Amino acid sequence: NGGLIPGAGKGVFQKVIGPNNASAVLANKKSLEVVDKTINQLPPEELFKESKSAATQSFVFRFTSSDAIARRFVTQRLQGYSENYDKVYLDKMRSVNPEMVQEIAKKWVNVNDLVTVVVGRLKAADIKKEFPDKDVYNLGFDSEPRVLEKIE
C-alpha cells in the first residue's frame, strides 16, 4: 500500500511504502525502480486501462458513510472547490493517457532528488549500504525531528 502523494508545493511528493521491517529497504529500492520506469517507459496499455478504471470506479466508495460525505463537502467548500468538482475530476481522470502521465513524471519527479525518511527500527548504516550514492541521516524525534548524524 502506498505510492507518490502530491505534497504542499509543485514538484514535492511523499513516496509512501508500507513495510516497517528489513524489507522496507528492498521495497524502497523497488519503488524507486517503478518511479524511474514510469519516467522512462510507457506502461502496457492494458495495465494502464486497468489502473485508470480502478481509480475512477473506486472513487464512489470513498464516500459510503454520512461522515465521509460531510467531510468531503466541508473540505471542498473550505478549499474553494467548485460544486461540480467531482464530475470534472472524474471526467479529467478518464481523459488521462499514458503519455500525459509520463510527461508529468518527467517534469516533476526527479529520482535523484528524492529524500527518503525511514521511521522504525532499521539501521541507517544498512540503508546506506543499499543506497551508497544517497545521503542518509540518522534522525532523532522528540517534539521536532533533528539530525543526529549523517551516515558516510
Side-chain angles (χ1 to χ4, degrees):
N1 197 11
L4 284 180
I5 302 167
K10 284 188 175 182
V12 177
F13 296 88
Q14 294 178 47
K15 181 175 62 69
V16 179
I17 55 177
N20 62 358
N21 54 35
S23 67
V25 175
L26 178 60
N28 191 45
K29 200 171 202 174
K30 291 293 183 188
S31 71
L32 289 173
E33 289 171 10
V34 169
V35 170
D36 189 59
K37 194 173 183 178
T38 301
I39 293 168
N40 295 303
Q41 297 177 22
L42 292 175
E45 186 65 32
E46 197 55 40
L47 177 62
F48 186 81
K49 284 181 182 175
E50 285 177 27
S51 296
K52 189 163 70 167
S53 176
T56 55
Q57 290 180 17
S58 67
F59 181 78
V60 69
F61 295 108
R62 295 182 200 164
F63 314 109
T64 56
S65 71
S66 56
D67 182 53
I69 293 167
R71 256 194 326 258
R72 175 74 170 181
F73 178 83
V74 169
T75 300
Q76 285 183 308
R77 294 312 169 266
L78 288 174
Q79 294 183 355
Y81 289 92
S82 66
E83 289 191 26
N84 68 344
Y85 175 81
D86 290 339
K87 177 173 179 6
V88 170
Y89 168 82
L90 288 170
D91 288 346
K92 287 188 179 218
M93 284 285 293
R94 289 182 188 104
S95 73
V96 171
N97 63 47
E99 292 80 10
M100 292 166 76
V101 172
Q102 187 179 48
E103 179 185 339
I104 295 300
K106 282 182 178 181
K107 181 176 180 177
W108 293 110
V109 181
N110 183 343
V111 176
N112 295 320
D113 288 343
L114 290 177
V115 174
T116 301
V117 176
V118 178
V119 178
R121 293 182 287 266
L122 294 174
K123 293 185 175 100
D126 292 339
I127 296 167
K128 185 66 176 176
K129 284 180 205 169
E130 291 297 324
F131 301 98
D133 59 328
K134 302 285 185 201
D135 289 338
V136 176
Y137 298 91
N138 186 13
L139 301 178
F141 289 88
D142 39 41
S143 60
E144 294 290 326
R146 55 188 165 69
V147 175
L148 296 178
E149 66 179 315
K150 180 177 180 183
I151 309 301
E152 298 297 333

